[in-house]
Amino acid sequence: MSTSETPVRVGVVGLGHWGPNLARNFAAISGCELAWLCDGSEEVRQRWAPTFPGARMSADIQQLLDDPQLDAVILATPVPTHATLAVTVLRAGKHCFVEKPLAQTVVDAQRAIDAAEDAGKLLMVGHLLEYHPAVVSLKQIVASGELGTPYYLYGNRLNLGVLRSDENALWSLGAHDVSVVLALLDEEPVECFARGESYVRPGVEDVVFCYMRFASGAAAHLHLSWLDPHKERRLTIVGSRRMATFDDMALEGKVTVYDKGFDEDVRSWGEYLARSGDIRSPQIANTEPLRLECEHFVDCIRTGTAPRSDGRSGLRVVRVLEALQLSLHAAAPTGPRP
Ligand SMILES: NC(=O)c1ccc[n+]([C@@H]2O[C@H](COP(=O)([O-])OP(=O)(O)OC[C@H]3O[C@@H](n4cnc5c(N)ncnc54)[C@H](O)[C@@H]3O)[C@@H](O)[C@H]2O)c1
């Protein structure tokens, strides 16, 4: 168990595409020790051992769980393993950081939450964008009322790759946008609708279009694809007074607020005039979101506070993804009449 003098000791499980980024960040945080690395593949372990000479390497997560000095386990394994591994980690009395999404079903997400509560340990989900300084800024802008009432949002998360076989574009890419939409609107949708197509691998959607409606009247649309010529990571939010964008590919002006909209013409009843006023881009700290996310987890362990993206917030995202997934495979809507 760590105190303010002893380091928080963590182990990273899963060293594929993403796990090494988590390992790099936890290893660099002052007051945190990357004590273990774990991957089932011998080749992967050999690849990463030289980069992290201070960490012990294992093929079996049980070795990490048996270490009484280890405070927390970071799971960067494939999505189908998340819930079961998180429950195992928490039942072993370790705090758990699990990559997004928390689980593939609401039932499994709840299992992980229950395990955290029973063990009295922290459960944090790696909803990276909630730690992105641009999203934090956008959330402050929305909460301040500067945009007025949020009308609708749309997100484009497009790229060529990574092509996955164990999850579709909805779960792989949409987990990011759903977490941001829920964080910005601070409410869950009452209607979810999705359509998608599998072109490369049968049964695994490469492109998914999602539509969500909220009780407040807000609506959100997501275009998610790993089969696209463009690399886009963009979100637009249109409010009753102003509009704003978050463009994660932009080097400058990641967040832009547009004083645009329609004003009622006071001289004539029922007429509206387009308003195109100032455009401003707040300064956004150039700090790696992943570093902020990892630091937050270590801080939460030290202070015993609930993480921003805790199990309950991860469950909200899974609830929406599950509803979108069900809709994706529901009966097809009818086409135009001949
Ligand atoms: N936050 C982000 O921006 C972001 C980006 C990419 C991936 N991810 C998430 O990271 C997770 C991993 O994705 P990836 O692309 O690195 O996957 P990957 O398939 O490249 O790597 C997974 C690794 O886990 C290992 N593994 C699987 N089961 C294991 C077990 N029981 N014990 C030990 N090792 C095990 C595999 O050998 C493999 O090396 C996913 O949940 C994904 O959604 C997040």
Side-chain angles (χ1 to χ4, degrees):
M1 184 67 179
S2 70
T3 66
S4 55
E5 294 82 37
T6 55
V8 171
R9 299 179 81 244
V10 306
V12 174
V13 181
L15 300 171
H17 286 99
W18 193 244
N21 292 322
L22 287 156
R24 169 176 58 78
N25 274 286
F26 280 110
I29 293 173
S30 127
C32 177
E33 183 188 326
L34 179 68
W36 284 93
L37 290 174
C38 170
D39 198 289
S41 155
E42 165 84 37
E43 187 211 326
V44 169
R45 291 197 303 278
Q46 282 186 7
R47 186 182 318 145
W48 289 106
T51 310
F52 302 103
R56 294 169 72 184
M57 191 61 92
S58 175
D60 183 359
I61 190 172
Q62 193 55 47
Q63 261 194 293
L64 282 68
L65 304 183
D66 289 342
D67 176 356
Q69 305 298 322
L70 192 70
D71 295 298
V73 172
I74 320 299
L75 296 173
T77 51
V79 178
T81 68
H82 285 184
T84 298
L85 284 182
V87 169
T88 306
V89 165
L90 291 159
R91 285 195 181 147
K94 311 292 184 197
H95 301 295
C96 182
F97 173 113
V98 55
E99 257 311 325
K100 57 82 200 166
L102 169 56
Q104 288 181 303
T105 64
V106 168
V107 170
D108 277 350
Q110 190 61 54
R111 277 203 304 130
I113 291 170
D114 292 345
E117 281 174 4
D118 290 348
K121 293 290 162 187
L122 296 184
L123 171 62
M124 172 162 156
V125 186
H127 284 301
L128 181 61
L129 286 181
E130 293 190 43
Y131 300 87
H132 195 308
V135 173
V136 172
S137 166
L138 195 55
K139 190 168 159 55
Q140 283 164 357
I141 289 166
V142 173
S144 75
E146 186 178 346
L147 306 184
T149 304
Y151 280 164
Y152 72 94
L153 303 85
Y154 64 93
N156 288 7
R157 191 165 295 275
L158 317 172
N159 198 3
L160 193 62
V162 175
L163 200 59
R164 293 183 183 270
S165 55
D166 53 7
E167 52 176 341
N168 60 16
L170 170 64
W171 287 81
S172 180
L173 308 175
H176 289 298
D177 299 285
V178 168
S179 79
V180 172
V181 167
L182 298 190
L184 291 180
L185 294 180
D186 203 19
E187 64 177 321
E188 291 183 51
V190 288
E191 265 179 51
C192 293
F193 178 79
R195 277 287 173 266
E197 303 300 335
S198 319
Y199 295 108
V200 182
R201 286 197 171 113
V204 184
E205 286 82 4
D206 311 294
V207 57
V208 178
F209 300 92
C210 311
Y211 194 78
M212 292 169 263
R213 294 187 82 243
F214 296 78
S216 63
H221 176 266
L222 303 178
H223 176 185
L224 310 163
S225 175
W226 57 49
L227 183 62
D228 197 282
H230 308 289
K231 181 160 181 164
E232 273 186 33
R233 291 175 179 176
R234 208 143 44 89
L235 186 88
T236 299
I237 174 162
V238 172
S240 58
R241 292 179 56 212
R242 294 192 178 83
M243 308 175 182
T245 54
F246 162 41
D247 185 353
D248 207 6
M249 299 310 295
L251 293 176
E252 289 189 323
K254 278 190 187 280
V255 173
T256 308
V257 181
Y258 299 83
D259 183 13
K260 290 190 182 211
F262 285 99
D263 290 330
E264 196 167 356
D265 186 353
V266 287
R267 293 159 305 177
S268 75
W269 186 81
E271 255 197 274
Y272 286 85
L273 301 175
R275 168 175 37 81
S276 196
D278 288 348
I279 297 173
R280 76 172 183 95
S281 286
Q283 186 165 10
I284 303 296
N286 195 18
T287 317
E288 186 183 1
L290 187 55
R291 174 63 61 86
L292 297 170
E293 184 185 51
C294 296
E295 282 174 352
H296 181 71
F297 184 55
V298 172
D299 284 348
C300 288
I301 292 175
R302 281 215 181 284
T303 57
T305 43
R308 188 182 308 167
S309 53
D310 65 0
R312 298 210 169 275
S313 119
L315 169 65
R316 281 195 289 274
V317 175
V318 172
R319 202 180 282 135
V320 174
L321 291 173
E322 189 182 74
L324 290 165
Q325 177 70 39
L326 281 171
S327 142
L328 196 58
H329 289 164
T334 51
R337 286 163 195 256

